[in-house]
Amino acid sequence: MELTFTDEQLALRAEVAAFLAEERAAGSFTPRVDAWITGFDRGFTKKMAARGWVGLTWPTRYGGGGRTYVDRLCMTELLLAAGAPLAAHWFADRQMGPSVLAHGTEAQKERYLPEILAGEATYCIGMSEPQAGSDLAAVRTRAVRSGSGWLVTGHKVWTSLAQHSDYIYLLARTDPAAERHDGLSELIVPLRSEGVTITPIHDMSGAHHFNEIFFDDVFVDGDALIGTEGNGWRQITGQLGYERAGLERIMSTWALFEAMRAEVGDDERRQEELGALEAAARVARLLVFRAAAVADSGRPPDHEAAMAKVFATDIEQKMVEVASQWAGRGARTAGAFGGHLAPAWLIAPSFSIRGGTNEVLRGIVARRALGL
Ligand SMILES: Cc1cc2nc3c(=O)[nH]c(=O)nc-3n(C[C@H](O)[C@H](O)[C@H](O)COP(=O)(O)OP(=O)(O)OC[C@H]3O[C@@H](n4cnc5c(N)ncnc54)[C@H](O)[C@@H]3O)c2cc1C
């Protein structure tokens, strides 16, 4: 399969490449691994927003770019390859905005979308809980109707970027008596509300990127409910397709991969290993583009997203493993590959966990793609 870009897509890529070259030259960022999720820079996001690159796929009548998901990949591929800091808008652009567009009322679209499009509102994803990760339907955080709004009580965990975010997009149980998939709803909760406590979790590199969040009778207005009460499970299934189907699933360690390409040298074994990684990365890219084409056809990618993420994150982890073998045991901490190996080594285990574990995603592929 040959993937060719239209003139419009090539023009977009040229604009993005020029922007990145300018930003790099101005020293606004230095490439690093995992910058789409840990590179938090509201200034960079605002510059992207000013160019119309946040909400690129959203309808023009809501201020979006009206472009396709494939167009968005044409852009994000360059941003991810550059290791640019995208975290201040990534979740809202990829997932929350499309969800408000799909399930929100007109009033909610007017309330929530413009500030995302301006690069001014940051969202985090409030799904996982101590007892609810892969088994997400086990969510216990409660949202109970109270006067004109809702009272939220519970505990979320592994919430990336909560410490920087304005809102959490929350999956909560609104009907404990219903069958467990039917009693869930989605709410947008401002994180500066009274009763919200955010506690850092440090990962094994020592970095603070995710958090625990405690909700202690947090009041949110009635407009916070997105979509239909009790329909949260079905709504979230669509969002997970967007979460899993991006090029970030193969390009988190692109800075390391570029360094490997530069340092492969004449060693035939290394050349073979690099060649195998190159081939696999290209297949992963095609799987991601296929999932975007599914989104462009009008439905969120489902098993296509699961397949892309399993395959791609496997290759990302292999890149780190091969780089580590080339560098040798001591070199993981010694600035090897432009300093990209050490951070990549420490975050690589998370590639096949965040966004849904690869074991669980293989189950989705087996059931929904293969009908097993
Ligand atoms: C870096 C990072 C960032 C994250 N950010 C967020 C975030 O922003 N918001 C958020 O809500 N969550 C976030 N998460 C949480 C993530 O979604 C969960 O960790 C993930 O879904 C797995 O859930 P768990 O940790 O509870 O593991 P468990 O579900 O307890 O799984 C433990 C093990 O059992 C296996 N397993 C479980 N069920 C099955 C099954 N049915 N079949 C086969 N194997 C199974 C799993 O594959 C895994 O190996 C993040 C996680 C990481 C690592």
Side-chain angles (χ1 to χ4, degrees), residues 117-179:
L117 288 166
E120 280 166 5
T122 298
Y123 282 65
C124 59
I125 305 169
M127 297 188 199
S128 305
E129 297 183 4
Q131 310 302 325
S134 304
D135 183 16
L136 195 55
V139 155
R140 288 185 193 164
T141 293
R142 289 274 282 123
V144 180
R145 280 196 187 274
S146 168
S148 61
W150 297 86
L151 273 184
V152 178
T153 310
H155 177 191
K156 294 286 171 183
V157 73
W158 314 124
T159 321
S160 301
L161 299 172
Q163 75 274 33
H164 298 302
S165 295
D166 304 295
Y167 301 99
I168 183 165
Y169 205 92
L170 193 80
L171 183 65
R173 188 159 298 284
T174 42
D175 183 358
E179 194 278 322

XYZ file of all heavy atoms in Angstrom, residues 117-179:
471
model
N -9.939 25.513 21.670
C -9.429 25.975 20.372
C -8.455 27.138 20.523
O -7.557 27.314 19.700
C -10.606 26.404 19.483
C -11.465 25.255 18.954
C -12.780 25.787 18.396
C -10.717 24.470 17.892
N -8.623 27.926 21.590
C -7.709 29.051 21.825
C -6.430 28.600 22.532
O -5.532 29.404 22.777
C -8.421 30.111 22.654
N -6.376 27.327 22.888
C -5.185 26.813 23.598
C -5.183 27.226 25.061
O -4.148 27.272 25.706
N -6.388 27.504 25.587
C -6.449 28.034 26.948
C -6.977 27.046 27.979
O -6.887 27.316 29.176
C -7.324 29.296 26.959
C -6.548 30.482 26.463
C -7.411 31.672 26.119
O -8.626 31.614 26.351
O -6.841 32.642 25.590
N -7.539 25.923 27.549
C -8.087 24.975 28.525
C -7.402 23.622 28.370
O -7.333 23.076 27.274
C -9.584 24.820 28.304
N -6.895 23.123 29.479
C -6.225 21.827 29.469
C -7.075 20.803 30.205
O -7.619 21.096 31.268
C -4.854 21.955 30.163
O -4.074 22.868 29.420
C -4.135 20.626 30.205
N -7.170 19.627 29.611
C -7.983 18.555 30.191
C -7.107 17.365 30.574
O -6.105 17.081 29.903
C -9.011 18.041 29.172
C -10.208 18.931 29.008
C -10.061 20.210 28.483
C -11.478 18.505 29.366
C -11.162 21.048 28.331
C -12.583 19.333 29.211
C -12.424 20.603 28.694
O -13.507 21.425 28.536
N -7.522 16.660 31.633
C -6.937 15.344 31.899
C -8.052 14.298 31.843
O -9.238 14.648 31.811
C -6.184 15.327 33.220
S -7.171 15.750 34.652
N -7.620 13.035 31.815
C -8.565 11.932 31.575
C -8.819 11.194 32.884
O -7.901 10.599 33.448
C -7.970 10.939 30.543
C -7.587 11.672 29.255
C -8.931 9.795 30.273
C -6.762 10.819 28.289
N -10.056 11.228 33.358
C -10.371 10.627 34.662
C -11.104 9.317 34.532
O -12.289 9.223 34.861
N -10.399 8.308 34.042
C -11.022 6.989 33.940
C -10.551 6.073 35.073
O -11.342 5.611 35.880
C -10.683 6.336 32.592
C -11.210 7.071 31.387
S -10.941 6.086 29.893
C -11.071 7.327 28.638
N -9.237 5.794 35.132
C -8.733 4.730 36.015
C -8.921 5.039 37.496
O -8.845 6.188 37.922
C -7.239 4.513 35.767
O -7.010 4.247 34.414
N -9.164 3.965 38.241
C -9.264 4.029 39.704
C -8.453 2.866 40.268
O -8.078 1.955 39.519
C -10.725 3.896 40.137
C -11.586 5.040 39.623
C -13.031 4.975 40.105
O -13.365 4.081 40.918
O -13.810 5.827 39.656
N -8.213 2.870 41.580
C -7.406 1.785 42.148
C -7.943 0.393 41.806
O -7.182 -0.525 41.578
C -7.463 2.062 43.652
C -7.665 3.548 43.741
C -8.515 3.918 42.569
N -9.268 0.239 41.741
C -9.843 -1.082 41.442
C -10.396 -1.155 40.015
O -11.112 -2.088 39.679
C -11.003 -1.404 42.408
C -10.698 -1.201 43.863
C -9.525 -2.036 44.306
O -9.328 -3.155 43.833
N -8.701 -1.486 45.198
N -10.136 -0.130 39.216
C -10.750 -0.099 37.879
C -9.749 0.426 36.865
O -9.578 1.638 36.724
C -12.012 0.773 37.894
N -9.039 -0.484 36.222
C -8.103 -0.120 35.160
C -8.567 -0.803 33.891
O -9.427 -0.291 33.162
N -8.051 -2.019 33.671
C -8.534 -2.805 32.523
C -10.033 -3.049 32.651
O -10.779 -2.988 31.669
C -7.819 -4.150 32.468
O -6.435 -3.965 32.433
N -10.456 -3.324 33.859
C -11.884 -3.551 34.108
C -12.529 -2.207 34.454
O -12.931 -1.952 35.593
C -12.042 -4.545 35.264
C -13.500 -4.883 35.513
O -14.338 -4.596 34.626
O -13.809 -5.398 36.599
N -12.645 -1.367 33.445
C -13.070 0.022 33.666
C -14.508 0.124 34.173
O -14.859 1.076 34.881
C -12.904 0.802 32.355
C -12.946 2.321 32.444
C -11.922 2.864 33.427
C -12.708 2.924 31.056
N -15.311 -0.883 33.855
C -16.708 -0.835 34.299
C -16.828 -0.994 35.818
O -17.913 -0.877 36.375
C -17.525 -1.905 33.587
N -15.687 -1.245 36.488
C -15.710 -1.353 37.949
C -15.595 0.015 38.626
O -15.487 0.097 39.855
C -14.570 -2.263 38.416
N -15.642 1.091 37.850
C -15.514 2.456 38.402
C -16.496 2.670 39.566
O -17.669 2.324 39.473
C -15.764 3.492 37.267
C -16.242 4.822 37.807
C -14.497 3.679 36.448
N -15.954 3.245 40.669
C -16.786 3.462 41.859
C -17.047 4.930 42.163
O -17.901 5.246 42.987
C -16.064 2.881 43.094
C -16.041 1.390 43.122
C -15.423 0.965 44.443
N -15.088 -0.444 44.421
C -14.281 -1.024 45.276
N -13.705 -0.315 46.231
N -14.033 -2.308 45.206
N -16.254 5.819 41.592
C -16.466 7.247 41.848
C -17.922 7.577 41.548
O -18.448 7.214 40.498
C -15.516 8.096 40.972
O -14.192 7.864 41.425
C -15.835 9.576 41.057
N -18.560 8.238 42.510
C -20.002 8.470 42.398
C -20.310 9.909 42.015
O -19.646 10.837 42.486
C -20.682 8.178 43.753
C -20.713 6.721 44.110
C -21.911 5.987 43.534
N -23.133 6.221 44.281
C -24.254 6.704 43.755
N -24.305 7.052 42.488
N -25.347 6.859 44.491
N -21.308 10.077 41.184
C -21.868 11.406 40.943
C -23.360 11.299 41.255
O -24.060 10.459 40.685
C -21.646 11.841 39.506
N -23.807 12.124 42.208
C -25.187 12.050 42.685
C -25.855 13.392 42.427
O -25.273 14.437 42.731
C -25.201 11.759 44.208
C -26.628 11.681 44.738
C -24.446 10.476 44.515
N -27.059 13.362 41.887
C -27.768 14.634 41.649
C -27.977 15.363 42.972
O -28.351 14.755 43.978
C -29.116 14.364 40.997
C -28.992 14.116 39.512
C -30.346 14.248 38.824
N -30.234 13.835 37.434
C -29.851 14.654 36.444
N -29.520 15.907 36.707
N -29.784 14.207 35.204
N -27.721 16.678 42.940
C -27.883 17.478 44.151
C -28.302 18.883 43.744
O -27.514 19.609 43.138
C -26.548 17.498 44.901
O -26.573 18.452 45.911
N -29.527 19.237 44.057
C -30.041 20.556 43.679
C -29.934 20.746 42.177
O -30.379 19.913 41.389
N -29.255 21.831 41.794
C -29.156 22.132 40.364
C -27.959 21.421 39.703
O -27.678 21.647 38.534
C -28.988 23.645 40.189
O -27.783 24.031 40.851
N -27.244 20.585 40.458
C -26.052 19.977 39.859
C -25.778 18.576 40.370
O -26.697 17.775 40.557
N -24.489 18.303 40.573
C -24.049 16.963 40.969
C -23.034 17.068 42.099
O -22.249 18.022 42.143
C -23.335 16.286 39.786
C -24.198 16.065 38.580
C -24.448 16.953 37.580
C -24.917 14.882 38.258
N -25.283 16.400 36.644
C -25.586 15.117 37.031
C -25.075 13.633 38.874
C -26.384 14.156 36.421
C -25.867 12.681 38.252
C -26.517 12.939 37.046
N -23.041 16.054 42.970
C -21.989 15.949 43.977
C -21.133 14.748 43.613
O -21.638 13.633 43.432
C -22.594 15.718 45.367
C -22.986 16.947 46.189
C -23.469 16.510 47.564
C -21.825 17.946 46.334
N -19.828 14.975 43.490
C -18.910 13.909 43.060
C -18.047 13.492 44.248
O -17.460 14.338 44.933
C -18.006 14.397 41.905
C -17.022 13.318 41.501
C -18.847 14.835 40.720
N -17.969 12.175 44.467
C -17.152 11.639 45.549
C -16.400 10.425 45.021
O -17.014 9.556 44.392
C -18.039 11.163 46.730
O -18.932 12.211 47.041
C -17.198 10.836 47.951
N -15.102 10.368 45.259
C -14.361 9.188 44.805
C -12.884 9.453 44.652
O -12.347 10.430 45.196
N -12.241 8.586 43.871
C -10.781 8.524 43.846
C -10.319 8.037 42.479
O -10.659 6.933 42.069
C -10.374 7.527 44.955
C -8.916 7.253 45.054
N -8.414 6.236 45.840
C -7.830 7.840 44.487
C -7.102 6.222 45.754
N -6.722 7.173 44.943
N -9.577 8.880 41.762
C -9.001 8.482 40.467
C -7.498 8.327 40.624
O -6.892 8.926 41.521
C -9.313 9.540 39.408
C -10.794 9.662 39.073
C -11.277 8.490 38.233
C -12.776 8.468 38.067
N -13.250 7.293 37.302
N -6.898 7.547 39.743
C -5.453 7.308 39.868
C -4.801 7.276 38.485
O -5.503 7.072 37.482
C -5.210 5.997 40.669
C -5.535 4.757 39.859
C -3.784 5.920 41.198
N -3.507 7.505 38.455
C -2.692 7.538 37.228
C -3.129 8.667 36.302
O -2.970 8.565 35.086
C -2.752 6.213 36.432
C -2.588 4.967 37.211
C -3.448 3.916 37.257
C -1.487 4.617 38.045
N -2.963 2.949 38.092
C -1.755 3.348 38.582
C -0.284 5.257 38.407
C -0.895 2.706 39.458
C 0.570 4.608 39.281
C 0.269 3.357 39.795
N -3.679 9.746 36.863
C -4.232 10.793 36.008
C -3.106 11.697 35.501
O -2.598 12.556 36.222
C -5.269 11.625 36.801
O -6.021 10.741 37.632
C -6.180 12.361 35.849
N -2.760 11.492 34.233
C -1.671 12.261 33.629
C -2.045 13.733 33.595
O -3.167 14.089 33.205
C -1.414 11.794 32.190
O -1.087 10.429 32.182
N -1.092 14.574 33.993
C -1.188 16.035 33.836
C -2.264 16.711 34.687
O -2.565 17.879 34.462
C -1.426 16.407 32.358
C -0.339 15.972 31.386
C -0.793 16.214 29.964
C 0.963 16.704 31.659
N -2.834 15.998 35.647
C -3.880 16.637 36.479
C -3.341 17.884 37.162
O -4.074 18.857 37.366
C -4.399 15.651 37.518
N -2.061 17.852 37.523
C -1.486 19.000 38.253
C -1.494 20.277 37.421
O -1.390 21.370 37.960
C -0.062 18.668 38.753
C 1.044 18.658 37.722
C 1.204 17.329 36.993
O 0.238 16.619 36.764
N 2.419 17.001 36.607
N -1.580 20.137 36.086
C -1.576 21.315 35.217
C -2.959 21.619 34.645
O -3.135 22.636 33.975
C -0.678 21.070 33.995
C 0.750 20.828 34.324
N 1.512 21.731 35.018
C 1.575 19.785 34.034
C 2.743 21.254 35.144
N 2.801 20.079 34.563
N -3.902 20.704 34.837
C -5.132 20.778 34.036
C -6.203 21.671 34.645
O -6.282 21.839 35.863
C -5.719 19.373 33.843
O -4.836 18.603 33.080
N -7.037 22.201 33.776
C -8.168 23.003 34.219
C -9.385 22.113 34.509
O -10.168 22.407 35.394
C -8.538 24.020 33.123
C -7.337 24.879 32.778
O -6.890 25.623 33.654
O -6.815 24.758 31.648
N -9.522 21.049 33.719
C -10.696 20.178 33.853
C -10.270 18.709 33.839
O -9.277 18.351 33.212
C -11.651 20.337 32.661
C -12.178 21.720 32.448
C -11.607 22.558 31.496
C -13.283 22.188 33.157
C -12.111 23.836 31.265
C -13.793 23.456 32.928
C -13.204 24.279 31.987
O -13.701 25.531 31.763
N -11.102 17.905 34.495
C -10.967 16.448 34.340
C -12.228 15.941 33.636
O -13.343 16.356 33.968
C -10.745 15.739 35.693
C -10.543 14.232 35.485
C -11.889 15.993 36.681
C -9.966 13.520 36.703
N -12.011 15.076 32.669
C -13.136 14.453 31.962
C -13.384 13.131 32.676
O -12.609 12.180 32.550
C -12.740 14.224 30.503
C -13.912 14.178 29.572
C -14.368 15.323 28.931
C -14.570 12.992 29.323
C -15.447 15.286 28.068
C -15.655 12.941 28.459
C -16.082 14.094 27.840
O -17.160 14.055 26.980
N -14.446 13.119 33.456
C -14.612 12.095 34.486
C -15.608 11.011 34.090
O -16.704 11.328 33.617
C -15.130 12.804 35.748
C -15.093 12.029 37.045
C -13.680 12.063 37.632
C -16.066 12.662 38.052
N -15.228 9.763 34.337
C -16.188 8.665 34.232
C -16.639 8.349 35.655
O -15.811 8.011 36.516
C -15.531 7.436 33.589
C -16.455 6.238 33.370
C -17.551 6.564 32.349
C -15.669 5.007 32.901
N -17.939 8.469 35.905
C -18.445 8.276 37.266
C -19.696 7.409 37.253
O -20.388 7.305 36.233
C -18.771 9.631 37.889
N -19.952 6.806 38.397
C -21.145 5.964 38.509
C -22.317 6.832 38.971
O -22.258 7.457 40.026
C -20.877 4.825 39.514
C -21.978 3.783 39.560
C -21.503 2.459 40.126
N -20.453 1.854 39.316
C -20.638 1.229 38.155
N -21.850 1.113 37.656
N -19.614 0.722 37.495
N -23.342 6.889 38.159
C -24.513 7.689 38.527
C -25.681 6.809 38.974
O -26.627 7.295 39.574
C -24.964 8.574 37.343
O -24.907 7.821 36.133
C -24.072 9.799 37.216
N -25.619 5.517 38.666
C -26.696 4.623 39.110
C -26.096 3.298 39.585
O -25.885 2.376 38.788
C -27.683 4.381 37.955
C -28.855 3.518 38.397
O -28.867 3.093 39.587
O -29.748 3.264 37.575
N -25.855 3.182 40.893
C -25.218 1.967 41.403
C -26.114 0.739 41.289
O -25.626 -0.394 41.341
C -24.914 2.292 42.870
C -25.681 3.507 43.199
C -26.093 4.179 41.932
N -27.428 0.952 41.119
C -28.339 -0.199 41.050
C -28.382 -0.808 39.650
O -28.782 -1.957 39.472
C -29.742 0.244 41.459
N -27.953 -0.032 38.650
C -28.047 -0.519 37.262
C -26.967 -1.567 36.990
O -25.983 -1.672 37.734
C -27.870 0.655 36.299
N -27.152 -2.335 35.943
C -26.105 -3.246 35.475
C -24.837 -2.406 35.305
O -24.916 -1.245 34.904
C -26.564 -3.870 34.152
C -25.764 -5.076 33.673
C -24.476 -4.711 32.936
O -24.492 -3.722 32.187
O -23.478 -5.406 33.134
